[in-house]
């Protein structure tokens, strides 16, 4: 069973920064692509960033240049550094991994005030 636990969300003013963490249980971490998604009220869940086991990254156009995804395989943890935050970044952020099926964390709320 895979468990994902996010942390690091909160309330921040526009232009500020937050760092999200996702701790993963199980041996799958080192082999799998880890992803961050977000879901704003009334909107569909969208992919924000992804990182492969070798460190190749991919970002949604809306966050390129502002967000950075990274991983620490020794700690089974993936991070999302979010800089220059905007009110439109407000959402619940979810950590995700696919290992025969999709696994999701419980989500962490990020609120950016204008």
């Amino acid at each position: 069973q895979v468990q994902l636990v996010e942390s690091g969300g909160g309330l921040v003013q526009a232009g500020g920064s937050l760092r999200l963490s996702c701790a993963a249980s199980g041996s799958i971490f080192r082999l799998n692509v880890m992803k961050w998604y977000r879901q704003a009220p009334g909107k569909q869940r969208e992919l924000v960033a992804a990182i492969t086991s070798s460190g190749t990254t991919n970002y949604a156009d809306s966050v390129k240049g502002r967000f950075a995804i990274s991983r620490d395989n020794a700690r089974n943890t993936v991070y999302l550094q979010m800089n220059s935050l905007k009110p439109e970044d407000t959402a619940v952020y979810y950590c995700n991994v696919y290992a025969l099926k999709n696994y999701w964390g419980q989500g962490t709320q990020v609120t950016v005030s204008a």
Side-chain angles (χ1 to χ4, degrees), residues 5-95:
V5 179
E6 301 103 335
S7 60
L11 173 64
V12 65
Q13 288 187 331
S17 298
L18 284 174
R19 188 195 196 204
L20 306 183
S21 299
C22 171
S25 66
S27 60
I28 58 93
F29 182 83
R30 289 175 178 81
L31 304 176
N32 290 71
V33 177
M34 300 298 299
K35 299 177 181 179
W36 284 99
Y37 283 80
R38 68 185 180 187
Q39 187 165 20
K43 294 188 176 181
Q44 288 189 332
R45 194 170 294 190
E46 63 173 351
L47 178 65
V48 175
I51 185 166
T52 67
S53 57
S54 60
T56 300
T57 58
N58 192 33
Y59 298 93
D61 288 343
S62 59
V63 306
K64 281 181 181 177
R66 301 188 298 120
F67 289 13
I69 189 172
S70 61
R71 64 193 293 162
D72 184 339
N73 288 338
R75 289 183 169 82
N76 283 7
T77 301
V78 61
Y79 304 98
L80 186 67
Q81 178 67 44
M82 306 185 294
N83 300 324
S84 302
L85 282 161
K86 303 176 181 180
E88 51 263 44
D89 295 318
T90 295
V92 178
Y93 284 70
Y94 296 92
C95 182

Side-chain angles (χ1 to χ4, degrees), residues 99-112:
L100 300 181
K101 69 174 188 178
N102 267 315
Y103 292 93
W104 298 92
Q106 82 285 358
T108 185
Q109 176 71 46
V110 171
T111 303
V112 184

